[in-house]
Amino acid sequence: MSEDKLKKKIIELLPKTSLFGGVEKVDLDSFIETLSERSYIAGENIFEEGGSPGDSYLLLEGEVKLTVIGRRLFKIGPGRVFGIASPLGIQKQIVTATADTDIVLAVIPKMTLYLLEKENPRLFGKIILNEARDLARALKGMKEIILDYILMEEEGNL
């Protein structure tokens, strides 16, 4: 993808992601300059469960399948940012991300967020707050799954 086409695609998708909610265009422009493009063919792993925290990604084209212990959690499509929790938490990857189709990603280098803290604290604060909100929503979803599991166990269905 040409650099202009890549930038146009990122500008189109990035503001629609929850991670960049409320971020001003001038801040998006400077953030976009730190991104690069990477492609994977269907079946290739982007990162693996238990792997070291690395870069994060904005999915530009195609679908990515996320799995835990080899079991599919869900698929994500264009406009989704993924892989960000591990570098923020300095934790091993909790899922495996695999290209379900041929994909194109915008790579968000893990150092970008660390550098933002010093270079653009306002943008850093917005991104961290948005990620905290995303993680809180994920925790709420996990609570519902745990409650379903407890009910199944109490009813003798496990």
Side-chain angles (χ1 to χ4, degrees):
M1 186 179 304
S2 73
E3 194 167 319
D4 287 341
K5 187 176 178 185
L6 174 67
K7 188 172 182 176
K8 183 178 177 183
K9 187 78 165 176
I10 293 169
I11 288 169
E12 172 191 323
L13 292 174
L14 205 56
K16 297 176 185 176
T17 68
S18 59
L19 191 63
F20 291 89
V23 174
E24 297 171 18
K25 186 178 179 339
V26 66
D27 289 330
L28 281 178
D29 289 341
S30 65
F31 186 82
I32 288 169
E33 295 301 318
T34 69
L35 307 182
S36 61
E37 177 186 356
R38 191 175 302 158
S39 298
Y40 291 84
I41 60 170
E44 272 190 286
N45 284 346
I46 300 144
F47 55 80
E48 294 184 15
E49 182 177 356
S52 297
D55 299 327
S56 303
Y57 305 93
L58 169 63
L59 182 55
L60 300 175
E61 295 177 3
E63 290 184 325
V64 170
K65 176 176 63 173
L66 301 175
T67 58
V68 171
I69 314 171
R71 293 187 171 182
R72 191 182 101 182
L73 294 174
F74 50 86
K75 288 184 188 180
I76 59 174
R80 292 289 302 268
V81 174
F82 65 100
I84 195 163
S86 290
L88 282 179
I90 313 172
Q91 302 292 316
K92 301 240 180 248
Q93 296 291 352
I94 60 172
V95 299
T96 295
T98 305
D100 202 46
T101 63
D102 292 351
I103 62 169
V104 178
L105 303 170
V107 179
I108 305 169
K110 65 181 176 182
M111 290 307 296
T112 295
L113 293 176
Y114 298 118
L115 294 173
L116 269 181
E117 180 185 15
K118 292 180 180 22
E119 296 171 3
N120 192 337
R122 188 180 82 243
L123 176 58
F124 177 78
K126 285 181 182 180
I127 290 172
I128 294 301
L129 179 60
N130 287 339
E131 179 60 12
R133 288 177 177 147
D134 285 348
L135 291 171
R137 284 188 283 273
L139 282 174
K140 183 178 180 196
M142 288 304 302
K143 179 182 177 186
E144 292 168 11
I145 291 169
I146 291 167
L147 289 174
D148 286 345
Y149 180 83
I150 290 169
L151 287 172
M152 289 172 62
E153 186 177 56
E154 287 174 352
E155 293 170 357
N157 294 328
L158 288 181

